Amino acid sequence: MEKETPLYAEHVEAGARMVPFAGFLMPLQYSSIIEEHRAVREGMGMFDLSHMGELRVSGPDAAAAVDYLVTNDIAGLEPGQIRYTPMCYPDGGIVDDLLVYRFPDHLMLIVNASNIEKDLAWVRDHLRGDATVENESDATALIAVQGPRSVPFVQDHTDTDLAPIAYYHFTQGTVAGRPAVISRTGYTGEDGVELYVAPQDAAPVWETLLAAGEALGLKRVGLGARDTLRLEAGYMLYGNDIDHSTSPLEAGLGWTVKLEKDFIARDVLERQKEEGVQRRMVQLEMLDRAIPRPHFAIWQGPGDVVGSTTSGTMSPTFNRGIALGYVARGAAKAGTDVDVEVRGARHPARIVKKPLYKREAS
Amino acid sequence: MADFPDDLRYTTSDEWVRLEGDEMVSGITAYAAEQLGDIVYVKLPEAGQQIEQSEPYGEIESVKAVSDLKAPLSGEVTVVNADLDQNPAVINDDPYGQGWIFRFRPSNPGQYDSLLTAEAYEAKTKEG
């Protein structure tokens, strides 16, 4: 039986198509994936992300303990700062990718909904020193407002000055009169904010923003457009693009692997870095009308399968098929011509420089 | 909401058929279009192609997924809706009109009578 987020009734009332996702009933789309996608690229869109998991790590050694669990630098975070990081198994495979929020007296780990129980057990079993972890997922709702018009719009509903909140930073304040953690983060490739609120505050905040925003072009956005948006921006999705069988270095996340500190999988990843990985995550675009989907073979030249796709879709922005996938090291360079096998037929594609979609600097 | 015109017959795989003289026209139903969401690509059959009842003759892709298009009857394709190449989303907007997919000459017109009526098809969509 799937769980419902605190905004479930809002979605049903709006006529959303609800689908099971990671143990939750979530809105796939309200009107049209393409329309919702465009709203975020050109104006603004609002997402219910309450399915995401929140793990609170507290205690005197919390920062050091999390620092040891993940590949990126956590010990050096200042309060109000956020960091993206993989968390690895000792063999270098990925347990999950997450955001770590540094509060003055604790850390909050924002994890994928599909991994909440697994992550909770993993963190609990590997925390060192005087630190404890609690699962606050059911006590936390998450609303994202994303798009070029999102920050000025949310500014009209909070006393907190949003301008000084830099990308990957957060502050605590109120939105629509309700307490919220206001975070300058997102998964769309656009500027925007993510608002963590108590479950009972989710509907009032959602309704207030929607009532004020609809006239300004604010649209509700479901998981369908969330996927097309993140794929254009080259963001990976755990379970599709990364998992236990992939390492952060293969996934192009070398920038999150800090070998100068000690952490689980450090030695394995150091060796991988020295020896070089055999395959790499790439982003590609189709050169004809074919649309790639996960697990399609990627060919180079007449006879060599060099990899396979892990995610793929039709890109509403570029109006062609795009994908993420792994290819052999020799085929990973941007500009490399490859073929993607779509239901038995090979279609031309090209490896692109990641990310394919990058917003213009504001 | 999906509609189910009375003057059409339907397949269990969500195609519709309209009788037009000796020929028939087919497409996918409003219900199917709604389920698929934004349609972004249709792999059309070719004029002259032989089709066989219930067998795939083409493909239809939405942003999220790809599905086979299945022949509602056996026969020979006479004309395809080439506009779908440039504007596949017309199937979402007007599935029984401008969103038609192809016209064909049935080899066994009697198969038409075995297809679902609008009422039977609508009932089937409600079973889920």
Side-chain angles (χ1 to χ4, degrees), chain A residues 25-341:
Chain A
L25 268 178
M26 298 297 292
L28 174 67
Q29 61 180 67
Y30 299 86
S31 54
S32 132
I33 291 175
I34 293 176
E35 263 179 48
E36 293 166 25
H37 181 107
R38 294 210 172 117
V40 174
R41 286 277 178 263
E42 293 161 14
M44 52 185 174
M46 185 160 68
F47 304 71
D48 175 16
L49 305 178
S50 303
H51 60 309
M52 299 290 286
E54 290 83 17
L55 306 181
R56 173 197 284 256
V57 180
S58 39
D61 299 327
V66 174
D67 196 64
Y68 178 70
L69 282 173
V70 303
T71 62
N72 209 339
D73 170 41
I74 301 305
L77 283 181
E78 300 288 337
Q81 225 182 334
I82 302 164
R83 195 148 280 164
Y84 171 79
T85 182
M87 176 161 72
C88 284
Y89 292 104
D91 64 7
I94 301 173
V95 179
D96 201 0
D97 66 331
L98 49 140
L99 294 180
V100 179
Y101 284 59
R102 182 69 172 103
F103 286 80
D105 61 345
H106 69 277
L107 293 93
M108 198 65 91
L109 279 44
I110 314 303
V111 305
N112 283 295
S114 53
N115 290 337
I116 294 172
E117 295 304 323
K118 178 182 80 173
D119 289 357
L120 179 64
W122 181 263
V123 170
R124 187 183 284 140
D125 290 349
H126 295 86
L127 274 183
R128 304 199 302 190
D130 190 355
T132 55
V133 59
E134 291 158 273
N135 182 3
E136 299 210 338
S137 304
D138 290 344
T140 314
L142 173 56
I143 296 169
V145 189
Q146 301 275 302
R149 290 160 71 179
S150 60
V151 174
F153 169 67
V154 174
Q155 184 65 76
D156 289 340
H157 298 276
T158 177
D159 293 334
T160 303
D161 185 4
L162 301 180
I165 308 175
Y167 193 51
Y168 269 68
H169 285 71
F170 70 96
T171 192
Q172 290 169 278
T174 60
V175 174
R178 313 283 168 151
V181 170
I182 305 168
S183 168
R184 196 79 174 253
T185 43
Y187 190 56
T188 61
E190 299 299 336
D191 194 4
V193 294
E194 297 186 300
L195 308 169
Y196 297 85
V197 299
Q200 66 274 18
D201 291 336
V205 171
W206 180 270
E207 284 165 9
T208 301
L209 294 179
L210 196 63
E214 270 185 313
L216 306 170
L218 177 71
K219 277 196 190 308
R220 289 167 281 225
V221 185
L223 292 182
R226 182 165 159 85
D227 197 52
T228 54
L229 290 160
R230 68 98 187 167
L231 266 170
E232 288 182 350
Y235 294 132
M236 288 171 286
L237 173 64
Y238 192 92
N240 277 42
D241 311 305
I242 50 176
D243 60 24
H244 192 163
S245 73
T246 63
S247 95
L249 297 173
E250 292 173 331
L253 296 172
W255 59 278
T256 67
V257 177
K258 305 298 181 192
L259 294 172
E260 59 276 12
K261 66 163 198 167
D262 188 28
F263 61 93
I264 293 172
R266 197 201 82 91
D267 294 351
V268 172
L269 294 179
E270 183 174 43
R271 197 169 343 115
Q272 275 187 18
K273 191 173 181 185
E274 283 164 4
E275 294 171 358
V277 292
Q278 295 307 306
R279 56 175 188 167
R280 282 193 68 94
M281 166 67 61
V282 294
Q283 192 171 22
L284 59 83
E285 63 178 3
M286 302 306 297
L287 301 181
D288 69 5
R289 308 267 316 263
I291 301 168
R293 308 288 179 185
H295 316 299
F296 285 5
I298 302 172
W299 295 72
Q300 190 182 30
D304 292 323
V305 172
V306 291
S308 71
T309 59
T310 49
S311 293
T313 192
M314 160 80 185
S315 157
T317 302
F318 300 104
N319 198 27
R320 66 175 75 111
I322 60 170
L324 291 175
Y326 289 95
V327 297
R329 186 157 55 166
K333 204 164 167 254
T336 304
D337 283 317
V338 294
D339 288 327
V340 176
E341 185 179 331

Side-chain angles (χ1 to χ4, degrees), chain B residues 7-82:
Chain B
D7 59 332
L8 307 179
R9 287 294 177 95
Y10 301 85
T11 69
T12 52
S13 50
D14 305 308
E15 284 87 15
W16 58 262
V17 182
R18 177 185 291 124
L19 269 172
E20 291 192 359
D22 292 342
E23 296 196 338
M24 299 185 186
V25 179
S26 182
I28 67 161
T29 66
Y31 172 79
E34 220 176 82
Q35 292 297 310
L36 284 166
D38 297 310
I39 292 163
V40 292
Y41 180 63
V42 183
K43 190 177 174 195
L44 292 165
E46 286 174 17
Q49 184 177 327
Q50 299 296 317
I51 52 170
E52 197 171 330
Q53 189 175 35
S54 306
E55 293 298 315
Y57 69 81
E59 289 168 348
I60 189 162
E61 292 207 50
S62 67
V63 176
K64 282 300 287 178
V66 56
S67 311
D68 279 333
L69 291 165
K70 291 184 179 164
L73 285 81
S74 300
E76 182 183 320
V77 177
T78 54
V79 188
V80 301
N81 183 359

Side-chain angles (χ1 to χ4, degrees), chain B residues 1-4 10-15 29-35 96 116-128:
Chain B
M1 289 307 285
D3 58 337
F4 308 89
Y10 301 85
T11 69
T12 52
S13 50
D14 305 308
E15 284 87 15
T29 66
Y31 172 79
E34 220 176 82
Q35 292 297 310
Y96 304 115
L116 302 174
T117 62
E119 195 182 353
Y121 176 68
E122 182 172 4
K124 181 204 154 280
T125 63
K126 297 207 163 121
E127 287 163 19

